[in-house]
Amino acid sequence: MNQVYNFSAGPSMLPEQVMRKMQSELLDYRNMKVSVMEVSHRGQDFMELSQKAEQDLRDLMGIPDNYKVLFLQGGASAQFSMVPINLLRGGSVANYANTGRWSVKAIAEAKRYCDVHICTDSKENSYKDIAEFDSWNIDTNGAYLHYTPNETIDGLEFDYVPEVDMPVVADMSSTILSRPCDVSKFGVIYAGAQKNMGLSGLTVVIVRDDLIGEPVDKQPVLFNYSTQANNQSMYNTPSTFSWYAAGLVFDWIKGLGGLESMANINKEKSQKLYSEIDNSELYSNQVNPKYRSWMNVPFVLADDRLDKLFLEKSYNANLLALKGHKAVGGMRASIYNAMPMEGINALVEFMSDFEKQYG
Ligand SMILES: *Cc1c(COP(=O)(O)O)cnc(C)c1O
């Protein structure tokens, strides 16, 4: 079989090395005679594995000691509720930046718990741009500011962290580990694992100690950061195989040289693809170049009657899952850490040939 490149937005491509490692250890994990899928999360082997994964993530991201790292379930979507449940602490207002379709979802859920103050709204520009931070209207009574550093569907990515006098909460699902990040600027960082950290079923939450309060009345016990932190994310059975897989992904990133190296590669990959789009007559991407995502590259064809043919031909060329999100249409290439430069080269070559033939 020729090399296949999978541009799925999530669950997404995994590094081949990571899958080979899983395969080699699948039936007998380190001479335990059983699979890592089949053992207690409280046994010594799993404890060692889970602690090593946490330490590797701490090393990669430079997570300060006054932050807990939680390995939870429920996806980023569960955090849409857990954030207000844990951070409002009697407050009635929270600031939310609306910069794309994932912000919209986070906002809808937060509205069930508090008054959501929209401090900037990209809806006005159809989620193609982010207003200058100076122009944001922050409610100083807000318990926190929530934003989405990378909008997976719309292809917008922040190149800065908003600085405000309240905890900053970031849904980093589709950008975590793709570039260096100063964790000390955040109150909470959360991310589903299925984009840049491995398999679905695992959600990593990085939360500053002082934001972990007493359990909140009348809320599900599992939705309290304190329950999870006090029990090392093992109040109940965690998603063990996804935790193991994330550990392998962290190892793989360390082997590549960490987040600085990842950033250099990701920047180059995305530039190559945007430049193919910008230099063509057939393809276009309307996001303000300053805020174009390094991870998710949506683009449309000048004539949407060619969409079907583009998808058929690209599939036959082993370039998979390029169909855009239904809210946006057109195409989307998700090019997370696991996508190698060769995959970008193959896509760019395909696009250029397709344009010559049909454009
Ligand atoms: C994928 C994604 C989500 C949803 O994640 P789930 O794990 O399915 O809940 C939320 N936010 C962003 C930015 C995403 O990319």
Side-chain angles (χ1 to χ4, degrees), residues 9 23 40 42 57 60 70 72-73 79 108 113 123 141 150 161 163 171 230 234 243 245 285 310 316 323 335 354:
Q23 187 178 40
S40 168
R42 304 194 192 279
L57 181 62
L60 278 170
L70 308 177
L72 309 184
Q73 302 187 53
Q79 295 308 308
Y113 298 93
K123 193 171 175 202
N141 292 318
N150 183 70
V161 180
E163 305 230 6
D171 173 1
N230 293 339
M234 294 192 189
W243 197 328
N285 167 296
F310 183 93
N316 291 338
K323 191 171 169 38
I335 52 174
F354 186 90

Side-chain angles (χ1 to χ4, degrees), residues 75-77 80 102 148 150 152 171 173-174 194-195:
S77 302
F80 294 168
W102 283 113
T148 310
N150 183 70
T152 320
D171 173 1
S173 292
S174 49
Q194 69 271 21
K195 279 123 190 183

Side-chain angles (χ1 to χ4, degrees), residues 96-114:
Y96 277 74
N98 183 21
T99 55
R101 267 89 175 173
W102 283 113
S103 297
V104 168
K105 289 240 168 133
I107 288 165
E109 184 63 15
K111 279 185 176 165
R112 305 178 61 231
Y113 298 93
C114 64

